[in-house]
Amino acid sequence: HQYVDMNHNWAKMDKIEIGGLEVYFMGVRLFSKKLSGVWPHIRLLKEKCKNAYDDYIAGNDISIYET
């Protein structure tokens, strides 16, 4: 769970709980916060998901997207 207390200023970032995120498509791990230690850049992850989907539909090997 992630939350931010909007009644306090942004300097109090200790109020944010740390979480995890794993993104899989057809058994291929596209992103892992657990392995990378960082939250994903959403636009880049969206593009990776779209590219993996497009390649899957085209019958291509999507294991190249494995993180």
Side-chain angles (χ1 to χ4, degrees), residues 6-39:
M6 298 303 286
N7 294 322
H8 292 85
N9 68 35
W10 289 104
K12 296 192 179 254
M13 295 305 282
D14 61 333
K15 297 285 184 187
I16 297 176
E17 294 183 20
I18 303 302
L21 175 71
E22 302 275 315
V23 177
Y24 285 85
F25 176 67
M26 302 306 291
V28 176
R29 185 180 52 235
L30 301 179
F31 179 81
S32 172
K33 181 182 178 284
K34 182 178 179 181
L35 293 176
S36 68
V38 297
W39 289 102

Side-chain angles (χ1 to χ4, degrees), residues 34-48:
K34 182 178 179 181
L35 293 176
S36 68
V38 297
W39 289 102
H41 185 280
I42 296 301
R43 187 175 57 218
L44 295 177
L45 181 56
K46 179 189 84 102
E47 283 298 312
K48 187 174 188 179

